[in-house]
Amino acid sequence: MGAPGLAFETGEPAEPNRTQPFGVCQLSQQNQSVGQDWIARWQRVARRIRVPLGFLTAALYLYELSRRAPQPAAVAWSIALVLPGLWLRAYAAGYVKKNRELTATGPYAHTRNPLYLGSMLIAAGFAVALLSWPVALALAIGFAVIYIPVIASEERFLRATFPGFEAYCHSVPRLIPRLTPAPQSSTPGAAGSFSFSLYRKHREYNAAIGASLLYLSLLFLRPAVGALVHRLQ
């Protein structure tokens, strides 16, 4: 999950806008119902294609891995994206209290969706590790198709549940983080500090385990995948 204080995640949509396409959360009254219908339709489609899209991306990743040996320099550069992504997700998981309060401190004082931003950094890192434009394109399409309707749906829920969410939206960007934390006076409900028990409850360590397995695949899986693809050809 990415939006503050919410219980569901893609499991890893576009709200009507004012003048900027992806950074403002104010909806005009007359367009709200149309936007909500559009969000609902897109989210239904996203739920249906989420798993098949994941399998297709994984298959493409393995195919690209069989075609080219990972370059040490590329793998090193990928770590510069993957580690911050893992840190951001872990940091956010220790703050968010799902469905119980509007979380506006920690990373949520910089971006409204630190978990999703962390996932994007991790995915970008592994695309860099392979130096694969097809994988990068597949990941970009997948994130756009899945995350945009999810974010919009979550924000609709938060707006209806927490009166301070509108003020929070005006102070904190949806995705690209602000450099300095938003003042707590402009984010009603801002409270709390990092909790390791929340981190464990959300099982965010699974992201680190998954990233470690992917790096191991770069080192040891390629010969096996290459041999399999060669036999199939």
Side-chain angles (χ1 to χ4, degrees):
M1 77 156 254
L6 195 59
F8 55 85
E9 183 178 20
T10 62
E12 159 242 196
E15 113 171 282
N17 44 56
R18 294 190 314 189
T19 54
Q20 287 119 347
F22 199 67
V24 188
C25 59
Q26 179 71 29
L27 288 178
S28 65
Q29 197 73 17
Q30 58 188 9
N31 292 330
Q32 188 167 4
S33 60
V34 175
Q36 290 178 353
D37 290 343
W38 171 72
I39 291 169
R41 287 197 298 270
W42 192 349
Q43 194 169 30
R44 283 196 296 270
V45 173
R47 285 172 179 165
R48 292 174 182 171
I49 68 173
R50 179 174 62 203
V51 173
L53 190 61
F55 279 115
L56 287 174
T57 303
L60 177 61
Y61 185 87
L62 292 174
Y63 176 72
E64 288 292 291
L65 183 62
S66 72
R67 292 180 58 239
R68 66 189 78 206
Q71 301 298 314
V75 174
W77 278 109
S78 77
I79 294 174
L81 291 170
V82 173
L83 286 183
L86 290 172
W87 171 83
L88 183 57
R89 286 193 58 92
Y91 188 36
Y95 274 87
V96 66
K97 297 179 180 178
K98 301 176 178 181
N99 277 352
R100 291 162 49 193
E101 66 179 40
L102 178 63
T103 306
T105 51
Y108 290 95
H110 296 266
T111 171
R112 304 204 301 267
N113 294 282
L115 286 167
Y116 295 149
L117 179 59
S119 295
M120 292 176 187
L121 289 173
I122 295 168
F126 282 106
V128 169
L130 274 184
L131 293 178
S132 170
W133 283 109
V135 169
L137 182 61
L139 289 170
I141 293 173
F143 272 94
V145 169
I146 302 300
Y147 279 97
I148 289 177
V150 167
I151 289 173
S153 177
E154 289 181 350
E155 290 194 348
R156 183 176 60 186
F157 171 86
L158 291 169
R159 182 175 290 104
T161 305
F162 301 104
F165 183 69
E166 202 67 47
Y168 173 68
C169 285
H170 287 292
S171 301
V172 180
R174 180 175 281 137
L175 193 63
I176 305 301
R178 53 182 289 163
L179 296 179
T180 58
Q184 289 198 19
S185 60
S186 63
T187 54
S193 58
F194 181 85
S195 167
F196 189 70
S197 63
L198 281 176
Y199 168 83
R200 288 184 301 171
K201 178 182 177 181
H202 297 146
R203 300 180 181 178
E204 193 53 43
Y205 48 79
N206 286 331
I209 294 173
S212 300
L213 291 175
L214 279 172
Y215 274 116
L216 287 174
S217 75
L218 291 175
L219 296 174
F220 301 112
L221 189 60
R222 183 179 181 273
V225 173
L228 178 61
V229 171
H230 182 72
R231 288 185 62 183
L232 293 175
Q233 290 176 342

